[in-house]
């Protein structure tokens, strides 16, 4: 596709300005109202009608036709809390050395504004698909008031393109997440006497199994399902045998398992009582033969399976994860994105969509 330098200079300036505003407007998960306002105002100035539910904002291309198949362009405008290592103001968009620093610049502000740029590029054009741009909330906490809350407001989707920092490589599969709370039960007693049953020791038997455990099934694309103990709590007094020991498991589940199957396999080997926090965050993989895989090959995009979670887990349609920026910068102190990455992100998304539109 031939690009107009003037057009792309305009897109780059508009989207970069929007990113600066988003960085300088705090939007921790569940507190995204003001960034939602910013995004809605951006579209209003372009005479693009938006819809809003909670802090989720979405818009469709001008020539939306319910008879056409639909593609979702999705990224989030919430952020994590800034960590203690910041040396720069996390809520100030600071330009240095071709970079924009600030909380959410890389995850996922750069992706979001690049998707918005691509959406605006196609907004007035006659295309064979409907495009829906959704800027959503609560992604960082997988909250129920994010993308999940608006899916029933959208048409059935042929594809979702989820904007996350991937160096514009294309994740065609993603591990799901299962968090399990475990309770090992013993019997209280005095530490000075031979009495009671120490719940810590019972938990220790489980933890040793978990440390070395390998799930039975391996995904050809995502590899092994991985379980990790991340939290442990027990005891309240030095002289009392603890009757409870609680620990938490983080399980990254491949497409070889449903969350229920992975849970059942762990339940079969552990003594503790296990309770899953949620069975919502599923793994995903683009079905073989889907058009987006051919597009990836045509554009010579590197494809891979992602170990990290995104809103893909909540989208019940074929989806890929791709965007400017680098996942290694996410949630780090002095987070940044290169300004050039934003323009390359816009072009990359337009190329991806244009190639997709051309396939039968």
């Amino acid at each position: 596709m031939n690009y107009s330098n003037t057009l792309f200079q305009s897109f780059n300036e508009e989207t970069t300005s929007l990113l600066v505003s988003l960085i300088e407007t705090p939007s921790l998960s569940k507190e995204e109202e003001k960034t939602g306002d910013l995004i809605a105002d951006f579209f209003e100035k372009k005479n693009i009608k938006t819809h809003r539910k909670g802090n989720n904002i979405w818009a469709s291309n001008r020539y939306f036709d319910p008879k056409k198949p639909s593609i979702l362009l999705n990224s989030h405008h919430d952020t994590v809390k800034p960590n203690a290592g910041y040396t720069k103001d996390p809520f100030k968009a600071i330009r240095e050395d071709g970079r924009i620093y600030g909380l959410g610049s890389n995850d996922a502000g750069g992706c979001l504004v690049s998707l918005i740029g691509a959406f605006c590029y196609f907004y007035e054009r006659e295309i064979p698909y409907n495009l829906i741009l959704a800027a959503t909330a609560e992604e960082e906490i997988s909250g129920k008031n994010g993308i999940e809350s608006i899916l029933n407001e959208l048409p059935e989707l042929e594809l979702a393109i989820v904007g996350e920092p991937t160096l514009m490589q294309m994740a065609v599969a993603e591990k799901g997440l299962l968090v399990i709370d475990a309770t090992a039960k013993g019997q209280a007693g005095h530490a000075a006497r031979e009495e009671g049953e120490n719940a810590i020791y019972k938990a220790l038997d489980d933890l040793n199994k978990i440390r070395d455990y390998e799930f039975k099934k391996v995904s050809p694309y995502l590899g092994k399902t991985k379980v990790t103990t991340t939290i442990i709590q027990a005891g309240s007094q030095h002289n009392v045998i603890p009757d409870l020991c609680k620990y938490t498991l983080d399980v990254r589940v491949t497409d070889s398992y449903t969350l229920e199957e992975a849970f059942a396999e762990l339940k079969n080997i552990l003594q503790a009582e296990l309770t899953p926090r949620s069975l919502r965050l599923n793994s995903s993989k683009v079905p073989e033969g889907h058009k987006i895989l051919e597009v990836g090959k045509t554009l010579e995009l590197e494809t891979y399976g992602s170990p990290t979670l995104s809103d893909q887990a909540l989208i019940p349609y074929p989806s890929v994860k791709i965007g400017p920026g680098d996942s290694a910068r996410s949630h780090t102190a002095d987070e940044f994105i290169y300004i050039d990455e934003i323009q390359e992100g816009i072009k990359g998304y337009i190329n991806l969509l244009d190639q997709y539109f051309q396939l039968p």
Side-chain angles (χ1 to χ4, degrees), residues 157-186:
L157 304 173
E158 181 173 300
L159 175 70
I161 298 172
V162 177
E164 289 285 338
T166 69
L167 296 171
M168 291 306 290
Q169 299 166 5
M170 191 162 70
V172 298
E174 179 185 88
K175 286 186 177 180
L177 173 62
L178 175 62
V179 179
I180 299 173
D181 292 314
T183 302
K185 293 184 177 180

Side-chain angles (χ1 to χ4, degrees), residues 172-223:
V172 298
E174 179 185 88
K175 286 186 177 180
L177 173 62
L178 175 62
V179 179
I180 299 173
D181 292 314
T183 302
K185 293 184 177 180
Q187 184 177 347
H190 198 294
R193 294 192 288 270
E194 297 293 331
E195 62 184 30
E197 185 179 14
N198 197 319
I200 293 176
Y201 298 156
K202 294 186 72 173
L204 187 59
D205 291 337
D206 278 354
L207 298 178
N208 282 328
K209 290 179 183 177
I210 291 163
R211 181 182 59 188
D212 301 322
Y213 189 68
E214 293 192 0
F215 281 82
K216 296 174 183 177
K217 294 187 287 186
V218 177
S219 165
Y221 212 92
L222 287 168

Side-chain angles (χ1 to χ4, degrees), residues 289-308:
H290 196 284
K291 283 170 57 173
I292 193 62
L293 299 177
E294 185 177 343
V295 170
K297 289 179 182 178
T298 301
L299 296 177
E300 299 182 340
L301 297 176
E302 182 176 337
T303 59
Y304 70 104
S306 174
T308 58

Side-chain angles (χ1 to χ4, degrees), residues 1 3 7-19 22 39 42-43 46 48 73-75 108-125 131-135 324 341-351 353:
M1 177 176 286
Y3 300 104
L7 176 65
F8 271 89
Q9 183 64 26
S10 172
F11 278 162
N12 201 37
E13 289 174 359
E14 289 179 344
T15 55
T16 301
S17 177
L18 177 58
L19 177 59
L22 291 172
I39 295 163
F42 176 89
F43 283 121
K46 289 183 165 294
I48 296 175
L73 310 179
N74 167 243
S75 192
C111 300
L112 176 59
V113 299
S114 296
L115 280 172
I116 288 173
F119 173 81
C120 291
Y121 177 87
F122 286 109
Y123 178 72
E124 297 278 0
R125 287 170 164 75
L131 284 183
I132 302 161
L133 184 287
E341 288 179 315
I342 299 170
Q343 185 166 352
E344 290 307 309
I346 297 171
K347 289 183 178 180
Y349 287 136
I350 290 174
N351 280 337
L353 290 165

Side-chain angles (χ1 to χ4, degrees), residues 245-262:
C245 181
K246 297 183 178 182
Y247 60 89
T248 301
L249 302 178
D250 178 295
V251 191
R252 302 292 167 152
V253 183
T254 73
D255 57 310
S256 291
Y257 287 89
T258 65
L259 299 184
E260 291 84 355
E261 288 169 343

Side-chain angles (χ1 to χ4, degrees), residues 19 23 98-102 105-107 109-111 114 165 324-326 329 335-342:
L19 177 59
I23 291 169
R99 305 173 177 183
I100 297 179
Y101 288 88
S105 56
N106 179 76
D107 183 16
C111 300
S114 296
D326 188 344
R329 300 179 210 145
E335 179 184 348
F336 70 89
I337 191 164
Y338 289 102
I339 296 172
D340 287 349
E341 288 179 315
I342 299 170

